[in-house]
Amino acid sequence: MDGLAATAPDTTALLTGMITLLGDRLEASGWRKGCPVATVALELAATHDVLQQVCAEVYASWERILADRLAADGHPDADDTATTVLALIEGALLLARARRSRRPLDAASRRATLLLTTH
């Protein structure tokens, strides 16, 4: 995410880049590999405190990157919007995996873009 954040020219490009990158990974794996953090969080974080902490830190760093970009764009609710967008992406990945289709990712990308530009 850090590399993408460094090269994305704006927040919308960062968002669509994240969704594209994760969607490409999912599709290339035959719909087996969703978000690597979500997989660990769902399977192990409830019973392994160290893994839970690592997952929380990764998600927090992703949220911070998005929130910082949103704040720089003048978005008034940068922190809440970053959390919402990340939740939207994670949910779309789960639906895409279950459906074996990029359609949920495409829909999430469109709606998340609206969230970023509405303020």
Side-chain angles (χ1 to χ4, degrees), residues 9-57:
D10 57 38
T11 309
T12 301
L14 173 60
L15 169 73
T16 57
M18 284 176 61
I19 293 172
T20 299
L21 182 71
L22 291 167
D24 288 351
R25 178 181 187 272
L26 179 60
E27 191 170 12
S29 73
W31 309 102
R32 289 185 307 274
K33 294 181 181 178
C35 175
V37 180
T39 301
V40 174
L42 290 169
E43 297 296 325
L44 302 171
T47 57
H48 293 83
D49 291 342
V50 172
L51 290 176
Q52 178 276 324
Q53 185 61 38
V54 170
C55 290
E57 289 171 6

Side-chain angles (χ1 to χ4, degrees), residues 10-11 66-79 81 115-119:
D10 57 38
T11 309
L66 283 170
D68 288 349
R69 293 292 286 264
L70 288 164
D73 291 346
H75 202 287
D77 300 312
D79 290 338
T81 301
L115 281 174
L116 298 183
T117 57
T118 305
H119 57 277

